Amino acid sequence: MTTTMRRSITAALHEVMEAHSDAIMLGEALDTRGGAAEITYGFLERYGSSRVIETPISENALTGMALGAAVAGLRVIAEIYSADFLVCAGSEVVNDIAKWRYQHQWEKPLRLVLRMPSGSAGRWSGPEHTQSIEGILNNVPGLRVVVPSNAADARRALVEVVEVGDPVIFLEHRSLYDVPTNREEGFGSAPVLPGRVVHEGDAVTIVAWGAMQRVVRGATQALADEGIFVDLIDPVTVKPMNHRLIHDSVARTSRLLVVDEGPRTGSVAGELIIRALEDAPRPPQSFRRLNFPDVHHPFDPRLEAALLPSEDLVVASVKTLIGEPR
Amino acid sequence: MHPDKLIEAFRLMLLSRAIDETCVDLAHRGVPVPNYHGARGQEAVYAGVGVALRSEDYLLYNYRAFATLLAKGVPLEELMGDLLMNRLGTSRGHGGIMHVTKPDRGIVGRNGVFGSKFGIALGLAQEIVVNRRDAAVACMFGEAEGNRGGLYEAMNIACLRQLPILFLAENNGYAVAAPTSLLYSTRDMSGQLKSFPMPVLKIDGNDIEAVTTQATGLADRARSGAGPALLECVTVRLDPHHLHDDQSRYRDSDSLEAAWAQEPIARAHKLLRQLGLTEEWLQRERAEAKERVAEAVKSVIGGPAAALDAVFSHTYYEGREVSQ
């Protein structure tokens, strides 16, 4: 049985809306076109207009509304039309949502999920409809950032983030929406949010999430054909990162490669590597990161492809790391 | 209006004034009163709104609205703890007067940056709608905040969805140092909001009877499901924006003198005299307010400072171990 991330997110939203009468959804064009990714068709009719709220294109009001409803005790899943537009509501996210618990010494859970398409689909989308914003968000205490890499994880992760009690930015990678995925792929019964080792090996530890996890999985096949087996980690939660999962793996491999679609400077990849060097009981002896360079995504998908981390680059980087002494 | 309501409002105004006098006195004696902004001159707005609200209503307050916070049920001692920003305040020294929080009395807190309050009001109102509660949201804002675009987004959505929100525009004449006439194309706060399909009223915000009557009526209207409304209360800030502001640089003394002649407590005093209350009674009330504030300060001054541990334990719900 196969499904897609698009369908599994719809299923997760139904699961939350059916299980909790205090759950609400809001977003732009949520009903009239099923939201940004045609995921929410029919919800308004099914759950009613007090729980499913289609808003105008008003990111400040929409994001603030999500916070207000969450502090009032509701479970809130708000859709931002594109991760690139989250910065329209930058103050709401950075100054209000992220700081609310601290500044008010808030004791109760804040069940607030902002879900949105993010990353590049390589479809002439230009630099404002392609960004990976994990690096921007990584510098904001109080937020959680979750980036599933396949349909099965996306479904489970979305149900889990509603209950986590902290504001969560849930990034749905555009290139993954329609990739067919085996329903059984994923975590079994364990929670998905802490991440896991997807593929075991002793040559190199590779960390990748979202679309880059898929790129790396392709590369691991090619590497396995050459007898090179990597320890592949899908953290799922990018912030706060489960560093222990990475450090345990690095203790076995002593080599670390992080593949991150975001721009290099200030990237999550850089933070993971420095953290492994600083804190791991057995720090990596060699390390690399693959990032988008510090430039903007071109409209032309051929140019974009030349800049994105690719399977070939992953294979080459692994070989370079192996060539360096442990 | 029932005289009891006016008396309640008058007492709140007196407490607010006593808080101001106390904070200024403390500051002059070298006691830090972080982020204190005075309410003198604007007490009728805050007290009138305060008596119009019920404990089940939500309040998104203005940081000068001592009277409204007290009316909603924040204990005077805790409010003074917030002004002195120690652990005896509602946010235990981490939010102070800027982030007073009393969720069980409908005070969920306050945004720290002007302009994002309006979206929050929508979400609070939506909870009232989802749970079919008989309640309203009071959303207070001044000129500075009212210039942010979020207001227009939120008013639009509030009208589209007929949400139970009372927008309270307090026009005290200045956004810090800039006069209202420089900031609003209609020279006031409500003029340019009149095209929204909701009641838009502009009243004398120094008239306690007018504020109480209109705020009560519009809050009742919102609770009944008739949708949002805007009430502009025209008032005058008598003091500088805050303790470190020199208002002589942007205000002339003549206009301040005229403003003092219209100040709301003296007007309320006169009104209550006309209603038959004695001068002796009114003077006793004034003295009592001062005593209550003095007692409250005594009980919280020197309270323990904010705890460092709370910075870590209140970044994430699960506490310290997940703080990166």
Side-chain angles (χ1 to χ4, degrees):
Chain A
M1 281 289 283
T2 62
T3 185
T4 63
M5 188 183 283
R6 200 185 298 273
R7 288 207 294 271
S8 76
I9 290 169
T10 301
L13 291 171
H14 278 302
E15 191 176 329
V16 172
M17 292 295 280
E18 276 166 18
H20 304 289
S21 60
D22 64 354
I24 68 166
M25 292 164 55
L26 54 156
E28 296 162 6
L30 206 66
D31 181 60
T32 47
R33 83 174 291 279
E38 302 183 20
I39 276 171
T40 53
Y41 278 124
F43 278 72
L44 177 61
E45 199 186 344
R46 185 146 163 192
Y47 302 104
S49 62
S50 53
R51 294 182 58 205
V52 179
I53 298 141
E54 175 160 330
T55 74
I57 298 172
S58 301
E59 279 81 7
N60 296 108
L62 158 60
T63 309
M65 187 173 189
L67 173 60
V71 298
L74 300 183
R75 287 176 165 82
V76 185
I77 306 179
E79 178 179 290
I80 303 295
Y81 213 74
S82 167
D84 310 75
F85 310 162
L86 188 66
V87 293
C88 298
S91 187
E92 281 80 359
V93 173
V94 174
N95 290 316
D96 300 331
I97 288 174
K99 295 177 176 61
W100 202 271
R101 177 173 305 287
Y102 167 61
Q103 289 194 303
H104 302 96
Q105 293 289 293
W106 197 263
E107 301 293 353
K108 290 183 177 168
L110 283 176
R111 298 197 179 97
L112 168 54
V113 180
L114 300 177
R115 44 167 291 270
M116 63 206 76
S118 92
S120 170
R123 289 188 197 141
W124 302 94
S125 299
E128 317 89 349
H129 296 73
T130 47
Q131 289 168 90
S132 296
I133 61 168
E134 298 94 303
I136 298 175
L137 299 171
N138 210 31
N139 218 299
V140 185
L143 298 179
R144 289 175 183 268
V145 181
V146 171
V147 195
S149 67
N150 64 69
D153 289 0
R155 173 167 181 161
R156 300 268 307 282
L158 185 49
V159 173
E160 286 177 26
V161 291
V162 174
E163 299 306 315
V164 85
D166 290 313
V168 177
I169 313 294
F170 191 85
L171 301 176
E172 302 167 4
H173 202 284
R174 290 183 179 88
S175 75
L176 299 177
Y177 271 134
D178 294 313
V179 176
T181 311
N182 193 318
R183 275 185 206 272
E184 280 70 49
E185 190 178 337
F187 283 15
S189 59
V192 300
L193 292 181
R196 63 169 172 169
V197 176
V198 176
H199 178 286
E200 291 189 0
D202 61 2
V204 176
T205 297
I206 306 183
V207 183
W209 54 94
M212 291 300 108
Q213 172 69 214
R214 187 156 176 267
V215 167
V216 176
R217 284 192 199 194
T220 59
Q221 293 296 330
L223 289 163
D225 290 345
E226 296 185 44
I228 301 167
F229 297 95
V230 300
D231 228 29
L232 173 58
I233 290 172
D234 185 344
V236 184
T237 300
V238 170
K239 179 188 177 67
M241 178 61 71
N242 183 354
H243 291 288
R244 191 174 302 159
L245 187 65
I246 299 169
H247 298 177
D248 286 350
S249 170
V250 167
R252 295 192 295 273
T253 65
S254 71
R255 300 183 181 113
L256 177 59
L257 172 66
V258 186
V259 187
D260 177 353
E261 186 174 321
R264 185 178 187 191
T265 299
S267 62
V268 173
E271 178 61 26
L272 297 193
I273 291 169
I274 198 79
R275 196 64 79 91
L277 291 169
E278 281 177 342
D279 293 349
R282 294 180 58 195
Q285 299 301 302
S286 56
F287 47 86
R288 282 278 183 283
R289 59 177 156 171
L290 286 175
N291 276 102
F292 206 82
D294 289 333
V295 296
H296 302 294
H297 286 242
F299 273 99
D300 192 316
R302 292 161 294 190
L303 300 185
E304 218 185 348
L307 300 169
L308 283 163
S310 64
E311 283 186 30
D312 289 347
L313 276 173
V314 172
V315 170
S317 299
V318 166
K319 288 181 177 173
T320 306
L321 282 171
I322 290 172
E324 292 173 9
R326 270 204 233 221
Chain B
M1 190 193 304
H2 199 281
D4 284 357
K5 265 216 153 170
L6 276 182
I7 290 169
E8 189 190 345
F10 184 65
R11 285 180 170 145
L12 289 163
M13 293 167 75
L14 294 177
L15 283 172
S16 176
R17 183 64 61 95
I19 289 171
D20 275 315
E21 288 164 358
T22 303
C23 287
V24 171
D25 179 52
L26 287 168
H28 286 161
R29 287 195 281 129
V31 178
V33 194
N35 298 308
Y36 158 72
H37 294 70
R40 289 203 306 174
Q42 301 174 223
E43 293 95 338
V45 178
Y46 301 130
V49 171
V51 298
L53 297 178
R54 304 174 183 167
S55 75
E56 60 269 30
D57 293 328
Y58 286 115
L59 169 67
L60 288 169
Y61 72 99
N62 180 311
Y63 48 66
R64 303 180 201 273
F66 313 130
T68 325
L69 291 167
L70 292 171
K72 281 287 284 160
V74 177
L76 180 57
E77 293 74 18
E78 289 185 48
L79 184 62
M80 294 316 300
D82 276 330
L83 280 159
L84 295 167
M85 212 159 181
N86 67 33
R87 220 184 290 183
L88 303 177
T90 63
S91 57
R92 305 199 281 277
H94 294 276
I97 191 62
M98 291 300 186
H99 300 278
V100 175
T101 171
K102 208 76 186 163
D104 59 341
R105 305 302 301 237
I107 301 164
V108 296
R110 186 183 156 276
N111 51 307
V113 177
F114 273 165
S116 50
K117 177 183 283 169
F118 310 110
I120 296 169
L122 299 176
L124 297 174
Q126 196 64 36
E127 182 278 320
I128 292 169
V129 171
V130 168
N131 292 322
R132 301 197 174 121
R133 292 201 298 117
D134 181 19
V137 180
C139 178
M140 306 176 123
F141 61 102
E143 293 94 328
E145 193 156 26
N147 270 149
R148 295 294 307 277
L151 174 67
Y152 303 88
E153 291 189 357
M155 280 194 171
N156 184 43
I157 293 174
C159 290
L160 270 170
R161 304 190 64 83
Q162 289 293 288
L163 293 173
I165 303 175
L166 174 53
F167 292 100
L168 291 153
E170 34 174 289
N171 180 350
N172 70 10
Y174 288 88
V176 188
T180 309
S181 60
L182 279 184
L183 306 172
Y184 287 82
S185 56
T186 50
R187 307 284 188 265
D188 66 358
M189 293 178 72
S190 58
Q192 60 197 27
L193 300 169
K194 279 185 181 150
S195 66
F196 283 107
M198 64 177 175
V200 175
L201 276 66
K202 181 176 171 180
I203 60 168
D204 176 356
N206 283 12
D207 177 346
I208 185 60
E209 199 171 13
V211 177
T212 306
T213 304
Q214 295 299 343
T216 302
L218 294 174
D220 284 344
R221 182 182 177 278
R223 290 187 205 103
S224 75
L230 172 87
L231 182 63
E232 177 180 0
C233 300
V234 180
T235 178
V236 180
R237 192 190 80 208
L238 294 172
D239 290 318
H241 176 62
H242 53 52
L243 290 170
H244 312 292
D245 176 37
D246 174 10
Q247 63 178 349
S248 69
R249 296 169 68 172
Y250 55 88
R251 294 174 95 168
D252 64 61
S253 51
D254 288 355
S255 70
L256 263 178
E257 213 166 288
W260 270 104
Q262 289 297 314
E263 73 93 8
I265 291 183
R267 284 173 64 181
H269 187 118
K270 211 164 136 192
L271 177 68
L272 289 170
R273 287 282 282 136
Q274 284 163 5
L275 289 174
L277 291 161
T278 64
E279 186 61 32
E280 194 186 4
W281 183 90
L282 290 160
Q283 291 305 338
R284 205 166 56 230
E285 286 297 322
R286 284 175 181 252
E288 203 167 296
K290 285 183 184 174
E291 274 167 39
R292 281 192 60 199
V293 172
E295 284 298 313
V297 168
K298 214 183 288 172
S299 73
V300 296
I301 198 162
L308 184 60
D309 189 58
V311 180
F312 290 90
S313 63
H314 284 73
T315 300
Y316 290 98
Y317 182 46
E318 287 169 8
R320 184 189 281 271
E321 67 273 21
V322 292
S323 297
Q324 288 175 323

